[in-house]
């Protein structure tokens, strides 16, 4: 039964639906709990979404059902949701422009949670108040383990990469992907094209640690190694946002980490955090992904 519940969120009227629909069957985690999680984590999540064009991955029938990426804000999007029209770089649907939503406030976040937009992905750049694309302000390295390597091996590579970035005056911040790998972020000062810089560092680590690191996507080169994916810095690409849920069997989260957790990781389970875990971590630590 599709029961609709009108609510008021920070002065905005929303209608929530199907709140008892289970979106993570293995965990019995329903849409109401997804909305509750995003509402409660909003104080630390919203700063990392603000000003960034949103791409979502929606799971209307839960993580075991079909899903789709959505960049264009749906036609029924409320008028109060901020939208920006930007060129559709590399569009697979022959669009010239895309009308992106920008999640600057809690009502917009709740609106998308109600659409079963479990995963929130954003680029490494923001838009101006007038909706113009700004230069990248964030550098990201996606560390992806090739089996039998796991996030444990990613942690070893992350520590090495942290030191290389530190030597260049950049402070690395780690987070889990919420899936099998992790990411390192650093505030970017525009000293050169971000993807060029990131590729150079990935290739450097591959040369210095050929048994641990690979910098190319070729699958046959990856078993037992960690791919340092530098291509996420392409302005047309997005990365899962800090504190976003992931569509796994359980409601895991892309979770900001303490460096001591990275340094001491000995088992993949050490760095698996679900929505309740993350809310407890935020209560204890605040935003570990605050801009350094």
């Amino acid at each position: 039964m599709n029961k609709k519940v009108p609510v008021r969120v920070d002065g905005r009227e929303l209608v929530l639906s199907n709140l008892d629909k289970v979106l993570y069957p293995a965990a019995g985690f329903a849409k109401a709990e997804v909305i509750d999680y995003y509402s409660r984590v909003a104080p630390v999540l919203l700063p990392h979404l603000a000003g960034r064009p949103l791409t979502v991955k929606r799971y209307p029938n839960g993580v075991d059902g079909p899903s789709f990426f959505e960049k264009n804000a749906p036609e029924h999007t409320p008028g109060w949701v901020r939208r920006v029209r930007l060129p559709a770089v590399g569009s697979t649907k022959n669009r010239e422009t895309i009308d992106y939503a920008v999640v600057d406030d809690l009502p917009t976040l709740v609106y998308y949670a109600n659409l079963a937009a479990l995963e929130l992905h954003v680029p490494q750049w923001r838009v101006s108040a007038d909706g113009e694309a700004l230069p990248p302000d964030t550098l990201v390295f996606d560390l992806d383990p090739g089996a039998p390597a796991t996030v444990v091996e990613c942690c070893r590579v992350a520590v090495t990469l942290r030191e290389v970035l530190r030597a260049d005056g950049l402070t690395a911040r780690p987070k889990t992907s919420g899936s099998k790998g992790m990411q390192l972020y650093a505030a970017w000062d525009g000293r050169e094209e971000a993807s060029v810089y990131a590729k150079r560092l990935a290739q450097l680590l591959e040369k210095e640690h050929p048994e641990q690191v690979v910098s190319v996507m070729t699958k046959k080169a990856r078993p037992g190694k960690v791919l340092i994916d530098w291509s996420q810095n392409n302005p047309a690409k997005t990365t899962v946002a800090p504190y976003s849920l992931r569509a796994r069997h359980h409601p895991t989260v892309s979770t900001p980490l303490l460096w001591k957790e990275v340094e001491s990781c000995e088992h993949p389970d050490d760095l698996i955090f679900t929505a309740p875990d993350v809310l407890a971590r935020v209560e204890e630590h605040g935003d570990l992904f605050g801009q350094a």
Side-chain angles (χ1 to χ4, degrees):
M1 180 178 175
N2 184 6
K3 184 178 179 181
K4 296 187 177 182
V5 180
V7 296
R8 191 172 182 85
V9 181
D10 286 357
R12 301 294 189 187
E13 301 287 345
L14 287 84
V15 177
L16 307 182
S17 59
N18 290 323
L19 292 176
D20 57 354
K21 177 178 279 189
V22 176
L23 299 182
Y24 292 86
F29 201 79
K31 188 201 279 191
E33 291 166 289
V34 168
I35 295 171
D36 178 68
Y37 167 73
Y38 274 129
S39 299
R40 292 170 62 190
V41 85
V44 294
L45 167 61
L46 286 173
H48 304 296
L49 298 178
R52 300 189 190 275
L54 180 70
T55 297
V56 295
K57 195 169 185 183
R58 291 176 56 185
Y59 290 80
N61 293 304
V63 296
D64 293 339
S67 64
F68 57 96
F69 277 101
E70 188 170 68
K71 294 179 181 288
N72 249 330
E75 287 185 8
H76 50 75
T77 302
W80 44 261
V81 171
R82 183 185 179 196
R83 276 165 281 190
V84 293
R85 179 165 293 176
L86 296 168
V89 180
S91 173
T92 58
K93 298 182 179 179
N94 296 318
R95 296 172 176 153
E96 291 186 4
T97 60
I98 292 177
D99 291 326
Y100 289 92
V102 179
V103 183
D104 288 331
D105 56 32
L106 179 59
T108 304
L109 184 60
V110 171
Y111 170 75
Y112 270 98
N114 186 60
L115 293 182
L118 300 182
E119 296 191 2
L120 311 175
H121 298 251
V122 289
Q124 312 316 316
W125 48 273
R126 300 178 190 267
V127 293
S128 68
D130 296 330
E132 297 295 321
L134 297 171
D137 61 355
T138 306
L139 184 73
V140 64
F141 295 89
D142 189 20
L143 307 183
D144 188 14
T150 67
V151 74
V152 176
E153 285 72 29
C154 291
C155 287
R156 307 292 176 261
V157 172
V159 170
T160 303
L161 183 53
R162 174 188 65 180
E163 299 310 311
V164 176
L165 290 166
R166 180 180 288 165
D168 281 348
L170 299 172
T171 301
R173 293 168 284 138
K175 72 177 176 72
T176 71
S177 68
S179 182
K180 60 181 180 175
M182 63 182 296
Q183 287 116 14
L184 288 193
Y185 283 57
W188 184 239
D189 54 14
R191 64 184 72 175
E192 63 179 293
E193 187 178 328
S195 60
V196 172
Y197 174 82
K199 182 178 182 179
R200 187 167 67 249
L201 261 59
Q203 291 176 333
L204 172 67
L205 265 68
E206 180 180 40
K207 183 177 180 180
E208 293 183 347
H209 306 277
E211 299 304 312
Q212 289 181 282
V213 174
V214 63
S215 67
V216 294
M217 294 280 190
T218 312
K219 287 194 174 182
K220 65 180 181 181
R222 293 177 55 186
K225 299 183 182 182
V226 174
L227 168 66
I228 300 181
D229 185 358
W230 50 269
S231 71
Q232 295 293 105
N233 295 286
N234 181 321
K237 289 197 172 186
T238 61
T239 305
V240 66
Y243 304 106
S244 172
L245 288 165
R246 298 308 303 269
R248 310 291 287 177
H249 288 303
H250 290 264
T252 58
V253 172
S254 182
T255 308
L257 300 169
L258 295 163
W259 271 111
K260 65 181 181 181
E261 293 174 312
V262 177
E263 294 162 352
S264 64
C265 178
E266 295 182 352
H267 190 278
D269 290 349
D270 294 346
L271 296 182
I272 295 176
F273 302 101
T274 62
D277 298 329
V278 169
L279 291 172
R281 287 170 66 85
V282 170
E283 186 74 23
E284 180 179 359
H285 299 295
D287 182 14
L288 289 176
F289 226 61
Q291 295 297 316

